[in-house]
């Protein structure tokens, strides 16, 4: 694994994320990816070799292992982590696309010809939608894999002994799982971190949407106030023009201006 490229991608995703996004990145790459690479693969490395059944029937242990472990925890976690981290890289690629487009625009028109983006990394327009969609996708992926884990392994735990009655086993046999308690601890740890990541994604999504709604309301209020100010200015200007024209008419005429009615 090229850690230089990995560090560059991680720093880019961290640069264009909010505070909640930075916490999410730290949680994913420290408590999920590193734990998976350093510990989880070693814990599950001998799950098939140490899966023992109390029978000498050839093939019975392999069939029972496939029956109770259709998909390995390690392979499911690997697929989950790949799908969860890809959207953050898409955000970095979108920012890089904006920067390249801005560079071409500056080379073609010049620095005095205006800019396409005031800040290519600022979440506006298409980049805002890319970021929001990435949050929804990441939360959906984690929720889907939690459901899949719960469907395959109820309550996310492994029993010490499983009973198997699948051909070619001659009868009901007992099969023993290697290090079930250690595996349960790591499974619950990964489940809890995935739940925390889902909560962070939802909180960040709510923060971005509420911030965008507040900015839209403030912009609409500012436009409304500007329009009212212009209408007041036009109305006052027209009134001043009418008074000025009336004064000029009476100055050119011998008829005195009408007196205003007397109010007590």
């Amino acid at each position: 694994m090229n850690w230089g490229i990995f560090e560059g991608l991680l720093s880019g995703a961290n640069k264009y994320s909010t505070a909640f996004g930075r916490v999410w990145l730290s949680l994913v790459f420290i408590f999920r990816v590193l734990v998976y690479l350093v510990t989880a693969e070693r814990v599950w490395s001998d799950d098939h070799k140490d899966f023992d059944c109390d029978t000498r029937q050839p093939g019975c242990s392999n069939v029972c292992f496939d029956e109770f472990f259709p998909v390995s925890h390690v392979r499911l976690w690997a697929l989950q982590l790949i799908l969860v981290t890809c959207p953050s890289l898409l955000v970095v690629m979108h920012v890089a696309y904006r920067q390249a487009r801005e560079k071409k625009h500056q080379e073609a028109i010049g620095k005095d010809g205006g800019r396409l983006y005031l800040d290519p990394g600022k979440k506006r327009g298409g980049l805002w939608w890319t970021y929001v969609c990435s949050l929804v996708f990441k939360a959906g992926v984690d929720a889907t894999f939690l459901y899949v884990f719960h469907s395959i392994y109820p309550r996310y735990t492994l029993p010490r002994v499983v009973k198997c009655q699948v051909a070619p086993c001659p009868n009901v046999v007992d099969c023993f799982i290697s290090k079930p308690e250690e595996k349960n601890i790591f499974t619950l740890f990964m489940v809890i971190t995935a739940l925390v990541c889902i909560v962070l994604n939802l909180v960040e999504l709510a923060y971005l949407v509420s911030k965008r709604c507040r900015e839209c309301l403030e912009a609409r209020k500012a436009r409304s106030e500007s329009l009212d100010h212009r209408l007041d200015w036009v109305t006052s200007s027209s009134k001043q023009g009418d008074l000025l024209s009336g004064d000029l008419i009476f100055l050119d005429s011998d008829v005195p201006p009408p007196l205003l009615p007397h109010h007590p």
Side-chain angles (χ1 to χ4, degrees):
M1 183 176 183
N2 193 331
W3 289 102
I5 298 176
F6 181 78
E7 182 181 1
L9 294 174
L10 180 59
S11 61
N14 187 60
K15 181 179 179 181
Y16 305 117
S17 300
T18 63
F20 299 104
R22 295 186 183 96
V23 175
W24 181 89
L25 283 171
S26 301
L27 185 64
V28 168
F29 288 100
I30 295 177
F31 292 98
R32 295 178 70 177
V33 174
L34 291 182
V35 168
Y36 169 80
L37 293 175
V38 174
T39 307
E41 287 187 334
R42 296 181 181 179
V43 174
W44 268 268
S45 62
D46 58 350
D47 55 348
H48 193 187
K49 181 179 64 176
D50 294 338
F51 185 81
D52 295 327
C53 297
D54 57 352
T55 180
R56 295 294 183 179
Q57 180 67 29
C60 181
S61 297
N62 291 333
V63 172
C64 290
F65 184 84
D66 292 336
E67 177 71 17
F68 289 99
F69 298 95
V71 183
S72 173
H73 288 68
V74 175
R75 291 175 178 84
L76 275 178
W77 283 329
L79 182 60
Q80 180 182 4
L81 292 174
I82 290 172
L83 293 178
V84 161
T85 53
C86 280
S88 298
L89 303 182
L90 291 178
V91 174
V92 177
M93 293 173 62
H94 195 161
V95 175
Y97 165 76
R98 279 187 162 193
Q99 292 174 344
R101 190 180 176 188
E102 179 67 30
K103 183 178 180 181
K104 290 182 179 179
H105 177 76
Q106 295 293 332
E107 291 176 354
I109 299 180
K111 294 183 179 180
D112 298 332
R115 302 186 62 180
L116 292 176
Y117 309 102
L118 295 176
D119 185 3
K122 194 172 184 179
K123 289 179 279 296
R124 289 291 185 272
L127 183 60
W128 188 87
W129 285 105
T130 301
Y131 198 91
V132 168
C133 292
S134 70
L135 294 177
V136 175
F137 183 80
K138 290 186 289 188
V141 167
D142 276 334
T144 301
F145 273 88
L146 288 179
Y147 175 77
V148 170
F149 267 105
H150 189 271
S151 299
I152 299 176
Y153 309 104
R155 295 186 295 179
Y156 305 108
T157 56
L158 299 175
R160 295 178 179 272
V161 182
V162 294
K163 295 185 179 297
C164 179
Q165 190 179 8
V166 183
C169 298
N171 48 24
V172 179
V173 298
D174 293 332
C175 297
F176 304 92
I177 299 175
S178 172
K179 298 180 288 187
E181 292 300 327
E182 186 178 11
K183 293 178 180 178
N184 288 336
I185 291 173
F186 280 102
T187 301
L188 292 177
F189 176 83
M190 297 296 283
V191 168
I192 292 172
T193 52
L195 288 173
V196 174
C197 287
I198 292 175
V199 173
L200 287 174
N201 286 325
L202 296 179
V203 170
E204 187 176 10
L205 179 62
Y207 166 75
L208 289 175
V209 173
S210 62
K211 182 180 178 181
R212 186 64 178 271
C213 292
R214 186 173 62 253
E215 290 175 351
C216 292
L217 290 176
E218 291 177 355
R220 183 178 299 179
K221 184 179 179 181
R223 287 195 299 267
S224 177
E225 291 177 354
S226 177
L227 181 60
D228 293 340
H229 179 71
R230 290 181 181 178
L231 291 175
D232 294 339
W233 182 82
V234 171
T235 303
S236 61
S237 299
S238 61
K239 288 181 180 180
Q240 291 177 1
D242 292 341
L243 291 174
L244 182 60
S245 61
D247 292 339
L248 292 175
I249 291 173
F250 288 120
L251 286 173
D252 294 337
S253 175
D254 295 335
V255 180
L259 296 176
L260 295 174
H262 177 70
H263 295 281

